Amino acid sequence: MLRSEAAPRLSAPDLLQIAQAPDWDQLRARSQRMLAQLGICDFMLKMDVTGANGAAQVQMFGTLPGATLQLFAQPTDDKTDPIQQHLARSCLPLSWQVEQLCLLHGGHIYPLLKTMGITQGISLALHTRQSVNRLDFYSNAAPSAALPAGAQADALLLGLYLQESAESLWRKATPNQETLLSARELECLRWSADGKTSSEIGLILGISQRTVYFHMKNVAMKLGVYSTRHAISRAVMMGIIKPNN
């Protein structure tokens, strides 16, 4: 049953429990319990992280079965997935119906969610210094019964705490793999090193030229330089990209 708008909102102690989760199991259990209060049955967090040596990693986390999570662990450049394409262009959350996605996307992920009883969801992109994350919330309510606006707002707030805690747990588990550049920053850097302009990079990645500027500015700041040319040189010296990239 969906939570009514008059029901209590998530409290500061609730969110603190998420932020202070000591391990993955506790984070999963606490998140699932709080999301259930909002009418959300499951969640999925995909973290695309890039180590200081440029090696890419994917960390999957959530309440979906392991085999289903692995289907989401595919490269993020799937141009047939309308959700992924939206998240590549915008940080705004996207509400969707699973029936629509089954018609629009030719893969196996959304039909599989449908067989699990999932009818709708909310997806958002969370870009941090450490990673580029996709976070999905799923509901098994009737398609006509959309999540109330208050429940959606609470879920998005909880999601920010969830991904921050997940990132912290990842850093503790892999102390020697501290990320320097996000996956998107590394993509922009590699294309720039290949001689592409910011406009061309935007077209390739499906993002705006302004967003490319933003990512390259962050790259320069993280590498301690002041221009794209110097960022490329420094990245080559650090082994983040290869000289022929």
Side-chain angles (χ1 to χ4, degrees), residues 6-22:
R9 304 291 291 267
L10 293 177
S11 65
D14 289 334
L15 298 173
L16 189 61
Q17 284 189 44
I18 301 299
Q20 296 180 343

Side-chain angles (χ1 to χ4, degrees), residues 4-242:
S4 70
E5 289 291 347
R9 304 291 291 267
L10 293 177
S11 65
D14 289 334
L15 298 173
L16 189 61
Q17 284 189 44
I18 301 299
Q20 296 180 343
D23 54 48
W24 293 104
D25 289 338
Q26 284 293 317
L27 179 59
R28 182 183 296 105
R30 294 178 186 184
S31 298
Q32 188 172 28
R33 183 173 64 253
M34 294 177 193
L35 289 168
Q37 300 174 25
L38 307 176
I40 293 171
C41 60
D42 287 291
F43 73 90
M44 182 279 296
L45 174 65
K46 177 184 180 183
M47 300 170 58
D48 286 290
V49 292
T50 305
N53 62 355
Q57 299 182 42
V58 177
Q59 173 73 49
M60 300 302 304
F61 177 63
T63 55
L64 297 176
T68 306
L69 285 176
Q70 287 309 307
L71 289 178
F72 281 101
Q74 302 302 315
T76 58
D77 58 353
D78 183 356
K79 298 187 182 304
T80 67
D81 186 342
I83 292 181
Q84 195 57 54
Q85 289 304 295
H86 169 84
L87 298 181
R89 299 189 303 267
S90 174
C91 290
L92 295 176
L94 176 68
S95 297
W96 46 266
Q97 301 285 332
V98 74
E99 287 282 3
Q100 295 175 329
L101 292 179
C102 289
L103 295 174
L104 293 172
H105 185 250
H108 303 292
I109 295 177
Y110 302 113
L112 181 57
L113 293 182
K114 181 180 177 180
T115 65
M116 296 166 56
I118 292 171
T119 58
Q120 57 187 298
I122 306 172
S123 300
L124 67 154
L126 298 167
H127 297 250
T128 73
R129 182 182 181 277
Q130 302 295 335
S131 60
V132 178
N133 306 326
R134 170 178 171 173
L135 180 59
D136 286 4
F137 295 122
Y138 307 114
S139 171
N140 53 15
S144 59
L147 288 172
Q152 292 189 37
D154 280 359
L156 297 179
L157 176 61
L158 179 59
L160 295 176
Y161 280 79
L162 192 162
Q163 70 88 23
E164 181 67 25
S165 184
E167 195 170 275
S168 176
L169 290 174
W170 179 84
R171 288 196 299 268
K172 290 178 182 177
T174 54
N176 296 323
Q177 295 294 328
E178 184 74 11
T179 60
L180 179 62
L181 303 181
S182 72
R184 184 62 87 190
E185 290 166 350
L186 188 59
E187 284 181 316
C188 291
L189 177 64
R190 283 172 171 163
W191 282 115
S192 182
D194 200 37
K196 301 298 183 183
T197 66
S198 57
S199 177
E200 291 171 332
I201 295 172
L203 291 174
I204 293 169
L205 299 181
I207 58 180
S208 69
Q209 184 175 358
R210 187 174 185 178
T211 301
V212 175
Y213 284 143
F214 171 78
H215 287 311
M216 290 306 299
K217 182 179 179 180
N218 284 342
V219 169
M221 178 184 68
K222 291 178 180 180
L223 299 184
V225 296
Y226 300 97
S227 70
T228 296
R229 177 186 292 182
H230 290 158
I232 293 170
S233 299
R234 179 66 61 85
V236 170
M237 292 175 60
M238 294 175 67
I240 296 176
I241 59 176
K242 296 179 181 180

